PDB file of all heavy atoms in Angstrom:
ATOM      1  N   SER A  28      17.223  13.592   4.263  1.00 98.00           N
ATOM      2  CA  SER A  28      16.944  12.911   3.007  1.00 98.00           C
ATOM      3  C   SER A  28      16.503  11.480   3.223  1.00 98.00           C
ATOM      4  O   SER A  28      15.553  10.980   2.626  1.00 98.00           O
ATOM      5  CB  SER A  28      18.141  12.976   2.046  1.00 98.00           C
ATOM      6  OG  SER A  28      18.303  14.276   1.522  1.00 98.00           O
ATOM      7  N   GLN A  29      17.247  10.790   4.082  1.00 98.00           N
ATOM      8  CA  GLN A  29      16.889   9.393   4.365  1.00 98.00           C
ATOM      9  C   GLN A  29      15.531   9.348   5.085  1.00 98.00           C
ATOM     10  O   GLN A  29      14.696   8.458   4.778  1.00 98.00           O
ATOM     11  CB  GLN A  29      17.922   8.741   5.224  1.00 98.00           C
ATOM     12  CG  GLN A  29      17.650   7.240   5.451  1.00 98.00           C
ATOM     13  CD  GLN A  29      18.586   6.596   6.451  1.00 98.00           C
ATOM     14  OE1 GLN A  29      18.958   7.175   7.433  1.00 98.00           O
ATOM     15  NE2 GLN A  29      18.955   5.335   6.155  1.00 98.00           N
ATOM     16  N   ALA A  30      15.298  10.232   6.003  1.00 98.00           N
ATOM     17  CA  ALA A  30      14.037  10.237   6.716  1.00 98.00           C
ATOM     18  C   ALA A  30      12.857  10.524   5.783  1.00 98.00           C
ATOM     19  O   ALA A  30      11.776   9.940   5.905  1.00 98.00           O
ATOM     20  CB  ALA A  30      14.068  11.259   7.861  1.00 98.00           C
ATOM     21  N   LEU A  31      13.067  11.410   4.805  1.00 98.00           N
ATOM     22  CA  LEU A  31      12.046  11.691   3.827  1.00 98.00           C
ATOM     23  C   LEU A  31      11.754  10.456   2.975  1.00 98.00           C
ATOM     24  O   LEU A  31      10.598  10.120   2.769  1.00 98.00           O
ATOM     25  CB  LEU A  31      12.489  12.891   2.916  1.00 98.00           C
ATOM     26  CG  LEU A  31      11.527  13.272   1.791  1.00 98.00           C
ATOM     27  CD1 LEU A  31      10.185  13.719   2.331  1.00 98.00           C
ATOM     28  CD2 LEU A  31      12.196  14.374   0.965  1.00 98.00           C
ATOM     29  N   CYS A  32      12.772   9.780   2.542  1.00 98.00           N
ATOM     30  CA  CYS A  32      12.579   8.519   1.790  1.00 98.00           C
ATOM     31  C   CYS A  32      11.797   7.516   2.643  1.00 98.00           C
ATOM     32  O   CYS A  32      10.867   6.887   2.161  1.00 98.00           O
ATOM     33  CB  CYS A  32      13.965   7.971   1.404  1.00 98.00           C
ATOM     34  SG  CYS A  32      13.951   6.358   0.623  1.00 98.00           S
ATOM     35  N   MET A  33      12.175   7.430   3.912  1.00 98.00           N
ATOM     36  CA  MET A  33      11.542   6.431   4.784  1.00 98.00           C
ATOM     37  C   MET A  33      10.057   6.744   5.039  1.00 98.00           C
ATOM     38  O   MET A  33       9.257   5.847   5.242  1.00 98.00           O
ATOM     39  CB  MET A  33      12.281   6.310   6.086  1.00 98.00           C
ATOM     40  CG  MET A  33      13.672   5.642   5.922  1.00 98.00           C
ATOM     41  SD  MET A  33      14.693   5.771   7.439  1.00 98.00           S
ATOM     42  CE  MET A  33      13.681   4.859   8.588  1.00 98.00           C
ATOM     43  N   SER A  34       9.710   8.029   5.034  1.00 98.00           N
ATOM     44  CA  SER A  34       8.328   8.368   5.267  1.00 98.00           C
ATOM     45  C   SER A  34       7.413   7.766   4.213  1.00 98.00           C
ATOM     46  O   SER A  34       6.306   7.347   4.497  1.00 98.00           O
ATOM     47  CB  SER A  34       8.151   9.897   5.334  1.00 98.00           C
ATOM     48  OG  SER A  34       6.884  10.228   5.869  1.00 98.00           O
ATOM     49  N   TYR A  35       7.943   7.667   2.993  1.00 98.00           N
ATOM     50  CA  TYR A  35       7.153   7.062   1.926  1.00 98.00           C
ATOM     51  C   TYR A  35       7.108   5.544   2.020  1.00 98.00           C
ATOM     52  O   TYR A  35       6.220   4.891   1.506  1.00 98.00           O
ATOM     53  CB  TYR A  35       7.605   7.579   0.552  1.00 98.00           C
ATOM     54  CG  TYR A  35       7.075   8.965   0.343  1.00 98.00           C
ATOM     55  CD1 TYR A  35       7.899  10.049   0.538  1.00 98.00           C
ATOM     56  CD2 TYR A  35       5.754   9.198   0.044  1.00 98.00           C
ATOM     57  CE1 TYR A  35       7.413  11.364   0.371  1.00 98.00           C
ATOM     58  CE2 TYR A  35       5.230  10.487  -0.115  1.00 98.00           C
ATOM     59  CZ  TYR A  35       6.048  11.574   0.067  1.00 98.00           C
ATOM     60  OH  TYR A  35       5.565  12.817  -0.063  1.00 98.00           O
ATOM     61  N   LEU A  36       8.122   4.947   2.684  1.00 98.00           N
ATOM     62  CA  LEU A  36       8.021   3.521   2.984  1.00 98.00           C
ATOM     63  C   LEU A  36       6.845   3.273   3.916  1.00 98.00           C
ATOM     64  O   LEU A  36       6.121   2.259   3.762  1.00 98.00           O
ATOM     65  CB  LEU A  36       9.324   3.059   3.645  1.00 98.00           C
ATOM     66  CG  LEU A  36      10.604   3.078   2.799  1.00 98.00           C
ATOM     67  CD1 LEU A  36      11.748   2.571   3.694  1.00 98.00           C
ATOM     68  CD2 LEU A  36      10.472   2.246   1.541  1.00 98.00           C
ATOM     69  N   PHE A  37       6.635   4.182   4.852  1.00 98.00           N
ATOM     70  CA  PHE A  37       5.484   3.991   5.745  1.00 98.00           C
ATOM     71  C   PHE A  37       4.184   4.047   4.973  1.00 98.00           C
ATOM     72  O   PHE A  37       3.299   3.207   5.193  1.00 98.00           O
ATOM     73  CB  PHE A  37       5.491   5.090   6.833  1.00 98.00           C
ATOM     74  CG  PHE A  37       4.171   5.215   7.548  1.00 98.00           C
ATOM     75  CD1 PHE A  37       3.721   4.150   8.315  1.00 98.00           C
ATOM     76  CD2 PHE A  37       3.418   6.344   7.490  1.00 98.00           C
ATOM     77  CE1 PHE A  37       2.493   4.220   8.979  1.00 98.00           C
ATOM     78  CE2 PHE A  37       2.217   6.435   8.162  1.00 98.00           C
ATOM     79  CZ  PHE A  37       1.730   5.368   8.901  1.00 98.00           C
ATOM     80  N   TYR A  38       4.054   4.979   4.023  1.00 99.00           N
ATOM     81  CA  TYR A  38       2.833   5.026   3.239  1.00 99.00           C
ATOM     82  C   TYR A  38       2.674   3.802   2.386  1.00 99.00           C
ATOM     83  O   TYR A  38       1.557   3.327   2.175  1.00 99.00           O
ATOM     84  CB  TYR A  38       2.809   6.321   2.385  1.00 99.00           C
ATOM     85  CG  TYR A  38       2.473   7.527   3.214  1.00 99.00           C
ATOM     86  CD1 TYR A  38       3.439   8.455   3.571  1.00 99.00           C
ATOM     87  CD2 TYR A  38       1.178   7.780   3.669  1.00 99.00           C
ATOM     88  CE1 TYR A  38       3.152   9.560   4.348  1.00 99.00           C
ATOM     89  CE2 TYR A  38       0.855   8.852   4.439  1.00 99.00           C
ATOM     90  CZ  TYR A  38       1.837   9.766   4.786  1.00 99.00           C
ATOM     91  OH  TYR A  38       1.535  10.846   5.552  1.00 99.00           O
ATOM     92  N   GLU A  39       3.787   3.226   1.916  1.00 98.00           N
ATOM     93  CA  GLU A  39       3.652   1.939   1.187  1.00 98.00           C
ATOM     94  C   GLU A  39       3.145   0.837   2.111  1.00 98.00           C
ATOM     95  O   GLU A  39       2.362  -0.014   1.685  1.00 98.00           O
ATOM     96  CB  GLU A  39       4.995   1.568   0.571  1.00 98.00           C
ATOM     97  CG  GLU A  39       5.425   2.430  -0.586  1.00 98.00           C
ATOM     98  CD  GLU A  39       6.614   1.920  -1.343  1.00 98.00           C
ATOM     99  OE1 GLU A  39       6.926   0.716  -1.224  1.00 98.00           O
ATOM    100  OE2 GLU A  39       7.326   2.755  -1.991  1.00 98.00           O
ATOM    101  N   ALA A  40       3.539   0.848   3.346  1.00 98.00           N
ATOM    102  CA  ALA A  40       3.075  -0.162   4.287  1.00 98.00           C
ATOM    103  C   ALA A  40       1.594   0.024   4.598  1.00 98.00           C
ATOM    104  O   ALA A  40       0.917  -0.955   5.048  1.00 98.00           O
ATOM    105  CB  ALA A  40       3.871  -0.082   5.583  1.00 98.00           C
ATOM    106  N   GLN A  41       1.018   1.191   4.327  1.00 98.00           N
ATOM    107  CA  GLN A  41      -0.373   1.489   4.599  1.00 98.00           C
ATOM    108  C   GLN A  41      -1.259   1.224   3.402  1.00 98.00           C
ATOM    109  O   GLN A  41      -2.474   1.404   3.460  1.00 98.00           O
ATOM    110  CB  GLN A  41      -0.548   2.918   5.062  1.00 98.00           C
ATOM    111  CG  GLN A  41       0.125   3.283   6.378  1.00 98.00           C
ATOM    112  CD  GLN A  41      -0.416   2.435   7.513  1.00 98.00           C
ATOM    113  OE1 GLN A  41       0.205   1.459   7.924  1.00 98.00           O
ATOM    114  NE2 GLN A  41      -1.572   2.815   8.060  1.00 98.00           N
ATOM    115  N   ARG A  42      -0.678   0.819   2.257  1.00 99.00           N
ATOM    116  CA  ARG A  42      -1.468   0.674   1.052  1.00 99.00           C
ATOM    117  C   ARG A  42      -2.481  -0.459   1.169  1.00 99.00           C
ATOM    118  O   ARG A  42      -2.204  -1.537   1.679  1.00 99.00           O
ATOM    119  CB  ARG A  42      -0.550   0.334  -0.162  1.00 99.00           C
ATOM    120  CG  ARG A  42       0.190   1.540  -0.667  1.00 99.00           C
ATOM    121  CD  ARG A  42       1.240   1.131  -1.704  1.00 99.00           C
ATOM    122  NE  ARG A  42       1.798   2.287  -2.402  1.00 99.00           N
ATOM    123  CZ  ARG A  42       2.827   2.249  -3.239  1.00 99.00           C
ATOM    124  NH1 ARG A  42       3.431   1.057  -3.474  1.00 99.00           N
ATOM    125  NH2 ARG A  42       3.256   3.346  -3.842  1.00 99.00           N
ATOM    126  N   SER A  43      -3.683  -0.177   0.668  1.00 98.00           N
ATOM    127  CA  SER A  43      -4.738  -1.201   0.595  1.00 98.00           C
ATOM    128  C   SER A  43      -4.953  -1.527  -0.905  1.00 98.00           C
ATOM    129  O   SER A  43      -4.580  -0.748  -1.784  1.00 98.00           O
ATOM    130  CB  SER A  43      -6.051  -0.610   1.133  1.00 98.00           C
ATOM    131  OG  SER A  43      -7.086  -1.552   1.089  1.00 98.00           O
ATOM    132  N   GLY A  44      -5.492  -2.720  -1.166  1.00 98.00           N
ATOM    133  CA  GLY A  44      -5.783  -3.113  -2.539  1.00 98.00           C
ATOM    134  C   GLY A  44      -4.646  -3.919  -3.177  1.00 98.00           C
ATOM    135  O   GLY A  44      -3.757  -4.390  -2.510  1.00 98.00           O
ATOM    136  N   PRO A  45      -4.728  -4.066  -4.497  1.00 98.00           N
ATOM    137  CA  PRO A  45      -3.662  -4.757  -5.221  1.00 98.00           C
ATOM    138  C   PRO A  45      -2.371  -3.918  -5.261  1.00 98.00           C
ATOM    139  O   PRO A  45      -2.422  -2.744  -5.683  1.00 98.00           O
ATOM    140  CB  PRO A  45      -4.255  -4.962  -6.597  1.00 98.00           C
ATOM    141  CG  PRO A  45      -5.263  -3.910  -6.757  1.00 98.00           C
ATOM    142  CD  PRO A  45      -5.808  -3.590  -5.361  1.00 98.00           C
ATOM    143  N   LEU A  46      -1.264  -4.466  -4.836  1.00 98.00           N
ATOM    144  CA  LEU A  46      -0.034  -3.718  -4.729  1.00 98.00           C
ATOM    145  C   LEU A  46       0.733  -3.719  -6.019  1.00 98.00           C
ATOM    146  O   LEU A  46       0.697  -4.718  -6.766  1.00 98.00           O
ATOM    147  CB  LEU A  46       0.821  -4.290  -3.606  1.00 98.00           C
ATOM    148  CG  LEU A  46       0.180  -4.291  -2.194  1.00 98.00           C
ATOM    149  CD1 LEU A  46       1.174  -4.765  -1.146  1.00 98.00           C
ATOM    150  CD2 LEU A  46      -0.362  -2.900  -1.816  1.00 98.00           C
ATOM    151  N   PRO A  47       1.465  -2.679  -6.299  1.00 98.00           N
ATOM    152  CA  PRO A  47       2.213  -2.590  -7.565  1.00 98.00           C
ATOM    153  C   PRO A  47       3.497  -3.435  -7.539  1.00 98.00           C
ATOM    154  O   PRO A  47       3.949  -3.816  -6.476  1.00 98.00           O
ATOM    155  CB  PRO A  47       2.543  -1.086  -7.649  1.00 98.00           C
ATOM    156  CG  PRO A  47       2.617  -0.648  -6.264  1.00 98.00           C
ATOM    157  CD  PRO A  47       1.613  -1.441  -5.498  1.00 98.00           C
ATOM    158  N   SER A  48       4.058  -3.607  -8.698  1.00 97.00           N
ATOM    159  CA  SER A  48       5.244  -4.458  -8.813  1.00 97.00           C
ATOM    160  C   SER A  48       6.472  -3.820  -8.151  1.00 97.00           C
ATOM    161  O   SER A  48       7.421  -4.529  -7.802  1.00 97.00           O
ATOM    162  CB  SER A  48       5.553  -4.758 -10.286  1.00 97.00           C
ATOM    163  OG  SER A  48       5.782  -3.568 -10.985  1.00 97.00           O
ATOM    164  N   ASP A  49       6.470  -2.478  -7.997  1.00 97.00           N
ATOM    165  CA  ASP A  49       7.611  -1.815  -7.399  1.00 97.00           C
ATOM    166  C   ASP A  49       7.440  -1.559  -5.889  1.00 97.00           C
ATOM    167  O   ASP A  49       8.162  -0.758  -5.322  1.00 97.00           O
ATOM    168  CB  ASP A  49       7.896  -0.498  -8.126  1.00 97.00           C
ATOM    169  CG  ASP A  49       6.719   0.495  -8.052  1.00 97.00           C
ATOM    170  OD1 ASP A  49       5.672   0.122  -7.529  1.00 97.00           O
ATOM    171  OD2 ASP A  49       6.877   1.622  -8.538  1.00 97.00           O
ATOM    172  N   GLN A  50       6.497  -2.255  -5.321  1.00 98.00           N
ATOM    173  CA  GLN A  50       6.269  -2.141  -3.821  1.00 98.00           C
ATOM    174  C   GLN A  50       7.575  -2.513  -3.119  1.00 98.00           C
ATOM    175  O   GLN A  50       8.137  -3.605  -3.299  1.00 98.00           O
ATOM    176  CB  GLN A  50       5.142  -3.047  -3.402  1.00 98.00           C
ATOM    177  CG  GLN A  50       4.949  -3.228  -1.929  1.00 98.00           C
ATOM    178  CD  GLN A  50       4.089  -2.179  -1.291  1.00 98.00           C
ATOM    179  OE1 GLN A  50       3.517  -1.315  -1.982  1.00 98.00           O
ATOM    180  NE2 GLN A  50       3.960  -2.172   0.004  1.00 98.00           N
ATOM    181  N   ARG A  51       8.086  -1.609  -2.263  1.00 98.00           N
ATOM    182  CA  ARG A  51       9.328  -1.866  -1.531  1.00 98.00           C
ATOM    183  C   ARG A  51       9.119  -2.555  -0.193  1.00 98.00           C
ATOM    184  O   ARG A  51      10.026  -3.212   0.285  1.00 98.00           O
ATOM    185  CB  ARG A  51      10.071  -0.549  -1.328  1.00 98.00           C
ATOM    186  CG  ARG A  51      10.546   0.088  -2.633  1.00 98.00           C
ATOM    187  CD  ARG A  51      11.154   1.456  -2.396  1.00 98.00           C
ATOM    188  NE  ARG A  51      10.138   2.424  -1.934  1.00 98.00           N
ATOM    189  CZ  ARG A  51      10.416   3.684  -1.543  1.00 98.00           C
ATOM    190  NH1 ARG A  51      11.670   4.122  -1.544  1.00 98.00           N
ATOM    191  NH2 ARG A  51       9.425   4.491  -1.213  1.00 98.00           N
ATOM    192  N   ILE A  52       7.949  -2.402   0.375  1.00 98.00           N
ATOM    193  CA  ILE A  52       7.646  -3.090   1.660  1.00 98.00           C
ATOM    194  C   ILE A  52       7.089  -4.460   1.321  1.00 98.00           C
ATOM    195  O   ILE A  52       5.856  -4.631   1.124  1.00 98.00           O
ATOM    196  CB  ILE A  52       6.678  -2.247   2.495  1.00 98.00           C
ATOM    197  CG1 ILE A  52       7.274  -0.865   2.756  1.00 98.00           C
ATOM    198  CG2 ILE A  52       6.374  -2.955   3.801  1.00 98.00           C
ATOM    199  CD1 ILE A  52       8.636  -0.934   3.521  1.00 98.00           C
ATOM    200  N   THR A  53       7.941  -5.422   1.199  1.00 97.00           N
ATOM    201  CA  THR A  53       7.565  -6.741   0.631  1.00 97.00           C
ATOM    202  C   THR A  53       6.868  -7.703   1.592  1.00 97.00           C
ATOM    203  O   THR A  53       6.469  -8.770   1.177  1.00 97.00           O
ATOM    204  CB  THR A  53       8.808  -7.402   0.034  1.00 97.00           C
ATOM    205  OG1 THR A  53       9.852  -7.451   1.050  1.00 97.00           O
ATOM    206  CG2 THR A  53       9.333  -6.647  -1.157  1.00 97.00           C
ATOM    207  N   TRP A  54       6.782  -7.289   2.878  1.00 97.00           N
ATOM    208  CA  TRP A  54       5.995  -8.128   3.790  1.00 97.00           C
ATOM    209  C   TRP A  54       4.500  -7.792   3.688  1.00 97.00           C
ATOM    210  O   TRP A  54       3.683  -8.484   4.309  1.00 97.00           O
ATOM    211  CB  TRP A  54       6.465  -8.039   5.219  1.00 97.00           C
ATOM    212  CG  TRP A  54       6.732  -6.624   5.760  1.00 97.00           C
ATOM    213  CD1 TRP A  54       7.926  -5.989   5.769  1.00 97.00           C
ATOM    214  CD2 TRP A  54       5.791  -5.741   6.409  1.00 97.00           C
ATOM    215  NE1 TRP A  54       7.771  -4.727   6.358  1.00 97.00           N
ATOM    216  CE2 TRP A  54       6.505  -4.564   6.733  1.00 97.00           C
ATOM    217  CE3 TRP A  54       4.435  -5.838   6.686  1.00 97.00           C
ATOM    218  CZ2 TRP A  54       5.881  -3.483   7.374  1.00 97.00           C
ATOM    219  CZ3 TRP A  54       3.825  -4.738   7.313  1.00 97.00           C
ATOM    220  CH2 TRP A  54       4.564  -3.599   7.672  1.00 97.00           C
ATOM    221  N   ARG A  55       4.168  -6.775   2.927  1.00 98.00           N
ATOM    222  CA  ARG A  55       2.733  -6.499   2.644  1.00 98.00           C
ATOM    223  C   ARG A  55       2.390  -7.139   1.276  1.00 98.00           C
ATOM    224  O   ARG A  55       3.184  -7.199   0.369  1.00 98.00           O
ATOM    225  CB  ARG A  55       2.512  -4.976   2.545  1.00 98.00           C
ATOM    226  CG  ARG A  55       2.436  -4.260   3.904  1.00 98.00           C
ATOM    227  CD  ARG A  55       1.256  -4.696   4.717  1.00 98.00           C
ATOM    228  NE  ARG A  55       0.079  -5.068   3.942  1.00 98.00           N
ATOM    229  CZ  ARG A  55      -0.715  -4.164   3.322  1.00 98.00           C
ATOM    230  NH1 ARG A  55      -0.502  -2.866   3.451  1.00 98.00           N
ATOM    231  NH2 ARG A  55      -1.739  -4.591   2.580  1.00 98.00           N
ATOM    232  N   HIS A  56       1.116  -7.550   1.174  1.00 97.00           N
ATOM    233  CA  HIS A  56       0.620  -8.204  -0.026  1.00 97.00           C
ATOM    234  C   HIS A  56      -0.760  -7.592  -0.387  1.00 97.00           C
ATOM    235  O   HIS A  56      -1.311  -6.779   0.359  1.00 97.00           O
ATOM    236  CB  HIS A  56       0.525  -9.699   0.163  1.00 97.00           C
ATOM    237  CG  HIS A  56       1.796 -10.321   0.671  1.00 97.00           C
ATOM    238  ND1 HIS A  56       2.897 -10.470  -0.102  1.00 97.00           N
ATOM    239  CD2 HIS A  56       2.117 -10.823   1.870  1.00 97.00           C
ATOM    240  CE1 HIS A  56       3.877 -11.045   0.587  1.00 97.00           C
ATOM    241  NE2 HIS A  56       3.405 -11.252   1.829  1.00 97.00           N
ATOM    242  N   ASP A  57      -1.309  -8.065  -1.502  1.00 98.00           N
ATOM    243  CA  ASP A  57      -2.662  -7.589  -1.887  1.00 98.00           C
ATOM    244  C   ASP A  57      -3.642  -7.835  -0.758  1.00 98.00           C
ATOM    245  O   ASP A  57      -3.607  -8.897  -0.096  1.00 98.00           O
ATOM    246  CB  ASP A  57      -3.145  -8.314  -3.124  1.00 98.00           C
ATOM    247  CG  ASP A  57      -2.251  -8.100  -4.349  1.00 98.00           C
ATOM    248  OD1 ASP A  57      -1.379  -7.232  -4.280  1.00 98.00           O
ATOM    249  OD2 ASP A  57      -2.457  -8.803  -5.345  1.00 98.00           O
ATOM    250  N   SER A  58      -4.564  -6.904  -0.540  1.00 98.00           N
ATOM    251  CA  SER A  58      -5.534  -7.057   0.540  1.00 98.00           C
ATOM    252  C   SER A  58      -6.782  -6.246   0.222  1.00 98.00           C
ATOM    253  O   SER A  58      -6.778  -5.322  -0.599  1.00 98.00           O
ATOM    254  CB  SER A  58      -4.900  -6.538   1.877  1.00 98.00           C
ATOM    255  OG  SER A  58      -4.580  -5.159   1.769  1.00 98.00           O
ATOM    256  N   ALA A  59      -7.845  -6.595   0.913  1.00 98.00           N
ATOM    257  CA  ALA A  59      -9.138  -5.888   0.809  1.00 98.00           C
ATOM    258  C   ALA A  59      -9.578  -5.747  -0.635  1.00 98.00           C
ATOM    259  O   ALA A  59     -10.012  -4.689  -1.068  1.00 98.00           O
ATOM    260  CB  ALA A  59      -9.060  -4.499   1.509  1.00 98.00           C
ATOM    261  N   LEU A  60      -9.445  -6.848  -1.368  1.00 98.00           N
ATOM    262  CA  LEU A  60      -9.784  -6.805  -2.810  1.00 98.00           C
ATOM    263  C   LEU A  60     -11.288  -6.814  -3.043  1.00 98.00           C
ATOM    264  O   LEU A  60     -11.718  -6.611  -4.187  1.00 98.00           O
ATOM    265  CB  LEU A  60      -9.126  -8.009  -3.508  1.00 98.00           C
ATOM    266  CG  LEU A  60      -7.588  -8.042  -3.431  1.00 98.00           C
ATOM    267  CD1 LEU A  60      -7.050  -9.235  -4.205  1.00 98.00           C
ATOM    268  CD2 LEU A  60      -6.954  -6.746  -3.939  1.00 98.00           C
ATOM    269  N   GLY A  61     -12.089  -7.000  -1.998  1.00 98.00           N
ATOM    270  CA  GLY A  61     -13.542  -6.962  -2.144  1.00 98.00           C
ATOM    271  C   GLY A  61     -14.132  -5.639  -1.765  1.00 98.00           C
ATOM    272  O   GLY A  61     -15.365  -5.489  -1.740  1.00 98.00           O
ATOM    273  N   ASP A  62     -13.329  -4.651  -1.409  1.00 98.00           N
ATOM    274  CA  ASP A  62     -13.857  -3.382  -0.957  1.00 98.00           C
ATOM    275  C   ASP A  62     -14.779  -2.785  -2.016  1.00 98.00           C
ATOM    276  O   ASP A  62     -14.410  -2.643  -3.183  1.00 98.00           O
ATOM    277  CB  ASP A  62     -12.719  -2.370  -0.635  1.00 98.00           C
ATOM    278  CG  ASP A  62     -12.106  -2.624   0.696  1.00 98.00           C
ATOM    279  OD1 ASP A  62     -12.528  -3.560   1.432  1.00 98.00           O
ATOM    280  OD2 ASP A  62     -11.204  -1.863   1.093  1.00 98.00           O
ATOM    281  N   GLY A  63     -15.996  -2.407  -1.589  1.00 98.00           N
ATOM    282  CA  GLY A  63     -16.951  -1.831  -2.489  1.00 98.00           C
ATOM    283  C   GLY A  63     -17.922  -2.863  -3.064  1.00 98.00           C
ATOM    284  O   GLY A  63     -18.930  -2.508  -3.673  1.00 98.00           O
ATOM    285  N   SER A  64     -17.664  -4.145  -2.894  1.00 98.00           N
ATOM    286  CA  SER A  64     -18.521  -5.169  -3.465  1.00 98.00           C
ATOM    287  C   SER A  64     -19.909  -5.119  -2.880  1.00 98.00           C
ATOM    288  O   SER A  64     -20.898  -5.550  -3.525  1.00 98.00           O
ATOM    289  CB  SER A  64     -17.907  -6.561  -3.301  1.00 98.00           C
ATOM    290  OG  SER A  64     -17.724  -6.856  -1.937  1.00 98.00           O
ATOM    291  N   ASP A  65     -20.038  -4.637  -1.666  1.00 98.00           N
ATOM    292  CA  ASP A  65     -21.343  -4.538  -1.017  1.00 98.00           C
ATOM    293  C   ASP A  65     -22.266  -3.504  -1.693  1.00 98.00           C
ATOM    294  O   ASP A  65     -23.497  -3.552  -1.540  1.00 98.00           O
ATOM    295  CB  ASP A  65     -21.216  -4.244   0.487  1.00 98.00           C
ATOM    296  CG  ASP A  65     -20.532  -2.925   0.762  1.00 98.00           C
ATOM    297  OD1 ASP A  65     -19.539  -2.606   0.057  1.00 98.00           O
ATOM    298  OD2 ASP A  65     -20.917  -2.226   1.709  1.00 98.00           O
ATOM    299  N   VAL A  66     -21.669  -2.572  -2.421  1.00 98.00           N
ATOM    300  CA  VAL A  66     -22.466  -1.526  -3.089  1.00 98.00           C
ATOM    301  C   VAL A  66     -22.287  -1.560  -4.593  1.00 98.00           C
ATOM    302  O   VAL A  66     -22.784  -0.648  -5.315  1.00 98.00           O
ATOM    303  CB  VAL A  66     -22.085  -0.110  -2.534  1.00 98.00           C
ATOM    304  CG1 VAL A  66     -22.543  -0.002  -1.077  1.00 98.00           C
ATOM    305  CG2 VAL A  66     -20.578   0.139  -2.644  1.00 98.00           C
ATOM    306  N   GLY A  67     -21.591  -2.546  -5.109  1.00 98.00           N
ATOM    307  CA  GLY A  67     -21.440  -2.688  -6.541  1.00 98.00           C
ATOM    308  C   GLY A  67     -20.467  -1.740  -7.174  1.00 98.00           C
ATOM    309  O   GLY A  67     -20.532  -1.472  -8.404  1.00 98.00           O
ATOM    310  N   HIS A  68     -19.467  -1.233  -6.378  1.00 98.00           N
ATOM    311  CA  HIS A  68     -18.441  -0.363  -6.926  1.00 98.00           C
ATOM    312  C   HIS A  68     -17.065  -0.910  -6.546  1.00 98.00           C
ATOM    313  O   HIS A  68     -16.931  -1.547  -5.493  1.00 98.00           O
ATOM    314  CB  HIS A  68     -18.595   1.076  -6.379  1.00 98.00           C
ATOM    315  CG  HIS A  68     -19.836   1.775  -6.843  1.00 98.00           C
ATOM    316  ND1 HIS A  68     -20.031   2.175  -8.142  1.00 98.00           N
ATOM    317  CD2 HIS A  68     -20.933   2.155  -6.148  1.00 98.00           C
ATOM    318  CE1 HIS A  68     -21.242   2.797  -8.230  1.00 98.00           C
ATOM    319  NE2 HIS A  68     -21.824   2.767  -7.041  1.00 98.00           N
ATOM    320  N   ASP A  69     -16.078  -0.643  -7.357  1.00 98.00           N
ATOM    321  CA  ASP A  69     -14.712  -0.976  -7.033  1.00 98.00           C
ATOM    322  C   ASP A  69     -14.133   0.118  -6.162  1.00 98.00           C
ATOM    323  O   ASP A  69     -13.859   1.219  -6.593  1.00 98.00           O
ATOM    324  CB  ASP A  69     -13.897  -1.116  -8.327  1.00 98.00           C
ATOM    325  CG  ASP A  69     -12.391  -1.352  -8.061  1.00 98.00           C
ATOM    326  OD1 ASP A  69     -12.040  -1.624  -6.886  1.00 98.00           O
ATOM    327  OD2 ASP A  69     -11.615  -1.275  -9.014  1.00 98.00           O
ATOM    328  N   LEU A  70     -14.017  -0.173  -4.872  1.00 99.00           N
ATOM    329  CA  LEU A  70     -13.447   0.772  -3.911  1.00 99.00           C
ATOM    330  C   LEU A  70     -12.151   0.238  -3.342  1.00 99.00           C
ATOM    331  O   LEU A  70     -11.766   0.535  -2.210  1.00 99.00           O
ATOM    332  CB  LEU A  70     -14.443   1.045  -2.799  1.00 99.00           C
ATOM    333  CG  LEU A  70     -15.770   1.691  -3.218  1.00 99.00           C
ATOM    334  CD1 LEU A  70     -16.689   1.889  -2.017  1.00 99.00           C
ATOM    335  CD2 LEU A  70     -15.541   3.039  -3.907  1.00 99.00           C
TER     336      LEU A  70
END
């Protein structure tokens, strides 16, 4: 059960873009906010 919970912590650490308020991995911050700007889409 703990290992299952922790696996989703890893996925939170892999998040790109604006992070949600309930983000548990707090050493990560918003990133790659310009993704898609080269083609005119929000990616």
Side-chain angles (χ1 to χ4, degrees):
S28 286
Q29 185 187 38
L31 178 60
C32 174
M33 289 171 63
S34 194
Y35 284 101
L36 295 179
F37 166 63
Y38 284 104
E39 289 189 23
Q41 295 300 99
R42 284 172 170 171
S43 180
L46 301 185
S48 59
D49 61 355
Q50 170 86 6
R51 293 174 293 175
I52 301 301
T53 53
W54 46 267
R55 283 296 327 285
H56 308 288
D57 298 352
S58 63
L60 300 183
D62 280 1
S64 60
D65 60 320
V66 293
H68 294 291
D69 176 9
L70 298 178

